[in-house]
Amino acid sequence: MQSLWQRSACALKTACRELTSARSLSTSAPTWSVYRTPNGQLPVYSEFRNARTRELTIIRKIVGDPNLVRQTIISEFEISPNEVWVKGARVEVKGAHRRALSEWLAKKGF
C-alpha cells in the first residue's frame, strides 16, 4: 500500500507529464495549472502580516511556471507588478483578493 506521500508524488509526476504533452499538442493551452486541495477547494488563502496591518492573498499548488501565473494576474486584474510576487511554487498578491482569485481560477476550469 502506498503512503499518502507516494501517491501525491505519483499524481504530481503524472500531471506534469500530462501538462507537457498538452503543451506540445496545443500552443493555446495554459502552461500552468493549479491543483485543488484534498477537500476539493481551490488553494487560495488570505494571510495577515505585520500585526494584521498587511493582508496578502496566496495561491499555492501551482504546477508549471508561477511567473506566467503572475503575469496573467497582472494583466487580467490590472494589479501593479510591484504588488505580485513569486515565492517558490506560490504566488503572493498584496491585498484582499481571495474571492476574486478563487472565482477567476474556477472560471478557468481549475
Side-chain angles (χ1 to χ4, degrees):
M1 178 174 245
Q2 291 182 335
S3 70
L4 180 61
W5 166 255
Q6 290 170 331
R7 283 183 278 165
S8 297
C10 182
L12 184 61
K13 288 178 187 176
T14 303
C16 286
R17 273 189 243 122
E18 290 172 0
L19 185 62
T20 304
S21 64
R23 188 181 320 152
S24 63
L25 293 175
S26 172
T27 57
S28 64
T31 57
W32 54 272
S33 181
V34 175
Y35 284 118
R36 289 183 176 256
T37 65
N39 292 332
Q41 301 296 316
L42 286 166
V44 181
Y45 305 100
S46 293
E47 186 173 296
F48 296 93
R49 295 188 182 164
N50 298 352
R52 296 185 65 91
T53 60
R54 181 173 163 214
E55 184 173 2
L56 297 176
T57 305
I58 299 172
I59 302 175
R60 295 181 52 225
K61 295 188 171 225
I62 298 172
V63 176
D65 189 3
N67 286 309
L68 290 176
V69 179
R70 177 183 181 269
Q71 291 299 325
T72 307
I73 290 171
I74 290 169
S75 64
E76 291 196 21
F77 287 92
E78 297 177 1
I79 297 174
S80 169
N82 296 333
E83 296 180 349
V84 184
W85 308 274
V86 173
K87 292 194 176 178
R90 69 187 207 170
V91 175
E92 295 183 357
V93 183
K94 183 178 179 181
H97 303 285
R98 188 182 59 79
R99 183 170 287 148
L101 288 172
S102 293
E103 291 173 359
W104 173 69
L105 288 171
K107 283 182 186 176
K108 287 198 163 282
F110 299 114

